[in-house]
Amino acid sequence: MRVLLVAGLDLSLPGGVETHLRELTRELLERGHGVSVYGRWSRREAGPPPPLVERVDPARYDVVHHHGGRWDRSWDAGDRYLRTFHFSVAGKMSVYLRLGRVRTLLNPGNHRALAEERASLRRGSRYIAVAKGVRDELVRFHGAARDAFVVIPNGTRFAAPRVGRAEWRRRHGIGPETPVVLTIGREDYVKGLDLFERAWRMPGARPPGALWVQAGGARPRRDTARIVTGAISPDDVNEWIHAADLGAFPSYYEGCALALTDMLAGGLYVLSHAVGAAPDQIRPGENGEFVPRRAEAWAAALSRRFADTPRPTSLPSAEIYGWPAIAARVERVYERLASASG
């Protein structure tokens, strides 16, 4: 099957949608499909790029799979068009407004993205949502047909660490008994790091010597209670997952964040807001728990879990969340779409 993945992103970057496209491309190629990607690849150190194209010519493909971003009106894919929604613009804007960020309404880019989201739901007849919550937001805000959606989450590699907990900690000057909590993500308001930082500074939130590792950030830095790694490879993120004792996912809004899935797959007990796919993946008391959006609640949850950090008894399954399984489910959607389009 000939497939065009459309995103217009720099796929060499470490973002969630970028990772999704890289992994999906690799798996579809291994399954024998002819895959092209409309996007960019700027970082040579990220490895060889996927098969890139410079223009969108829907007539050359059996499926044109749109992953967000600009869609030119001249790209008439007809009934070969498929859209994956990695989040809902309308849902995200609603959350921001409830949090008092009125300037959300003043950003023209938000309104353009909202118009594109609405147009996407008129452009095709079949859609993929990366979480039930994303599907429900699109139904609620746009009146989309619920039965037109297939929910297929982001995947994870379930990779064992190359270095391992003890050696990784030693390399970074962290003692074997030091309590470590891990967050993953860039320094962006939506990631909730401001809320987590307020909780981290509260008296009693953490035992003496505890360390917060932020995998990501604009630049590396370190003090006595926090390490910010700066941009690092997925393999290094995986090392931090296996070196930590507790995961934290304080995002105000998400679709189906790779960070959460990766932490759960790596065996971390995760404190999280009930956003995106978290309600689909977290079983409270088994592999994580939900925390109200208040610094005091986060401080109390940290204190409780540092005192008694359970090892998860319920982990994501590779049969559901492994990238081969994700690609197989997407492939079935392609087959139904191609069959319906003749």
Side-chain angles (χ1 to χ4, degrees), residues 40-56:
R40 303 184 302 281
W41 191 270
S42 67
R43 296 167 60 242
R44 293 181 180 179
E45 67 272 18
L52 298 176
V53 294
E54 296 182 353
R55 66 188 183 92
V56 174

Side-chain angles (χ1 to χ4, degrees), residues 311-334:
R311 302 310 300 172
T313 59
S314 174
L315 298 173
S317 166
E319 286 72 27
I320 299 174
Y321 290 102
W323 282 114
I326 300 301
R329 295 176 66 185
V330 172
E331 182 183 56
R332 288 195 289 273
V333 177
Y334 289 172

Side-chain angles (χ1 to χ4, degrees), residues 281-301:
Q281 297 182 2
I282 288 180
R283 297 184 180 181
E286 293 186 16
N287 64 355
E289 59 190 75
F290 298 115
V291 182
R293 285 195 185 106
R294 302 191 309 275
E296 297 81 4
W298 272 97

